[in-house]
């Protein structure tokens, strides 16, 4: 009996020991929250606006008598009377659109950081401190491309956060967020870094930090801390099919943020470096068509006339593999690298052109304020005869070239039948600009080039689709 009791107590000891060891390895965030919680703020905004259409003095639309059921007509009548009555003498009462978000203090004299989308179009911004003081904030400046905004409140001796280095973050490292999800102030959530350098739609100039920290509406603009208690990012976006947290959260790295902050403080706005190209990823099929060993880099699909890239000698079809010594695995890697490079600074790119590695030097330009907008085209009646691509194309008219901003070259895809082109995703309305390294000037050029295409290998076609250039790869059988 004594032997069995000894074994039981020994087993219990081992179990307790290993449980304690496992518990000891979990991080303790209590001191971090005590130290930094006071620098995290709640941000509320108010946007005063008139009802839709009221800005121009418009009333509810007048429907012909008898055009709707009586009960629905009565509903519209009562609603219109109610709106006129609230406005006093037929006017409109302004409505207020409110939003909530988070932010954090970066200087003791009252500079506060948050997301641009938290304060966008706000008429009034109120910052609520951890000691429950509520202060009106002034928008110093913002940058929509990186989703960063700088606010200023009139206060002194405020608690501040310490800025950390996001480049030292490692995937799998613990991180912590403090914010106001759904208005619940000073809420603390934790998780790990899931990935770095993520590119998201509309976020071309931000290499996001992906985490599994629970982030919900209201957390936007709040800080993301590393285990040293330093802010490494601003929580900005989540990926969700429900509107709530699903394990995918994204933060703007603080090196990107502070670059924007310094520009805003000095100039009142932020500028971004610019190469002057439109790019896309290199797929396996495109890599084969360009004689590349593996898919990598940023494929140049379009050059902006007189832009830095064109002046440096970059050509459509080049694959950019390095920028200032930094490897480019995916096309999304390039815009953030260029965007944070100072304007007018010299830079170096390495690229692959028709299987050869080249090095070019250029001067970084300033990203234009507005992107070019391209119009769609109408289909002419003349078509090319059937060909091995299975498509019918036609020459572009002068009017179509003007609308599409294609002064030279190209043929319009009128119809896509069965064959390699349809399988590759070509669409009616595409404009074919180039086949492999051959520029397609007109219908005759197209026919001559297509007749010479080999079978069994990947072929790259440059097309313009809805104003944007894109390479597609197809293989003739």
């Amino acid at each position: 009996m004594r032997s069995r009791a000894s074994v039981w107590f020994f087993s219990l000891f081992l179990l307790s020991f290993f449980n304690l060891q496992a518990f000891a390895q979990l991080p303790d965030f209590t001191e971090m929250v005590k130290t930094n919680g006071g620098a995290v703020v709640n941000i509320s905004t108010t946007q005063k606006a008139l009802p839709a259409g009221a800005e121009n003095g418009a009333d509810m639309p007048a429907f012909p008598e008898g055009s709707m059921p009586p009960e629905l007509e009565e509903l519209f009548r009562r609603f219109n009377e109610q709106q006129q009555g609230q406005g006093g003498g037929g006017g409109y009462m302004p409505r207020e659109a409110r939003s909530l978000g988070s932010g954090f203090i970066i200087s003791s004299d009252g500079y506060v950081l948050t997301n641009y989308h938290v304060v966008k179009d706000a008429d009034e911004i109120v910052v609520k401190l951890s000691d429950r003081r509520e202060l009106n904030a002034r928008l110093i400046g913002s940058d929509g491309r990186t989703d960063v905004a700088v606010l200023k409140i009139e206060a002194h001796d405020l608690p501040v956060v310490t800025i950390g280095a996001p480049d030292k973050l490692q995937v799998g490292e613990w991180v912590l967020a403090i914010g106001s999800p759904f208005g619940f102030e000073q809420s603390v959530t934790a998780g790990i870094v899931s990935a770095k350098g993520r590119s998201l739609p509309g976020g071309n100039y931000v290499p996001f930090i992906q985490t599994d920290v629970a982030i919900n509406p209201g957390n936007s603009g709040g800080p993301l801390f590393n285990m040293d208690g330093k802010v490494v990012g601003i929580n900005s976006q989540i990926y969700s099919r429900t509107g709530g947290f699903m394990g995918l959260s994204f933060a703007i790295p603080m090196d990107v943020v502070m670059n924007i902050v310094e520009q805003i403080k000095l100039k009142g706005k932020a500028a971004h470096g610019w190469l002057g190209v439109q790019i896309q990823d290199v797929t396996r099929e495109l890599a084969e068509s360009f004689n590349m060993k593996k898919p990598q880099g940023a494929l140049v699909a379009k050059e902006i006339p007189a832009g830095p890239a064109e002046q440096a000698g970059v050509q459509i079809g080049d694959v950019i593999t390095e920028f200032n010594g930094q490897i480019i695995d995916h096309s999304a890697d390039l815009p953030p690298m260029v965007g944070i490079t100072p304007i007018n600074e010299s830079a170096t790119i390495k690229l692959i052109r028709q299987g050869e590695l080249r090095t070019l030097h250029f001067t970084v330009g300033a990203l234009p304020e507005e992107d070019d907008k391209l119009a769609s085209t109408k289909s002419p009646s003349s078509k090319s005869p059937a060909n091995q691509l299975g498509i019918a194309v036609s020459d572009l008219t002068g009017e179509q070239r003007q609308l599409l901003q294609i002064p030279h070259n190209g043929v319009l895809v009128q119809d896509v039948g069965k064959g390699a082109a349809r399988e590759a995703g070509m669409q009616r309305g595409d404009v074919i600009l180039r086949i492999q390294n051959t520029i397609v000037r007109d219908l005759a050029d197209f026919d001559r080039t297509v007749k010479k295409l080999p079978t069994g290998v990947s072929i790259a076609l440059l097309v313009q689709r809805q104003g944007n250039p894109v390479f597609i790869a197809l293989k003739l059988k």
Side-chain angles (χ1 to χ4, degrees), residues 253-268:
M254 285 307 293
D255 53 355
V256 174
V257 173
M258 296 311 295
N259 177 279
I260 300 300
V261 171
E262 292 305 316
Q263 291 189 60
I264 288 176
K265 283 186 175 181
L266 288 173
K267 306 173 183 177

Side-chain angles (χ1 to χ4, degrees), residues 200-220:
L200 300 178
N204 291 337
Y205 297 92
V206 179
F208 285 98
I209 302 167
Q210 179 186 331
T211 76
D212 68 350
V213 177
I215 299 296
N216 284 289
N219 272 117
S220 291

Side-chain angles (χ1 to χ4, degrees), residues 176-198:
L176 176 139
I178 305 178
S180 305
F182 301 107
F184 293 102
E185 301 168 15
Q186 295 290 311
S187 294
V188 180
T189 52
I192 63 169
V193 176
S194 304
K196 295 175 61 178
R198 290 294 196 208

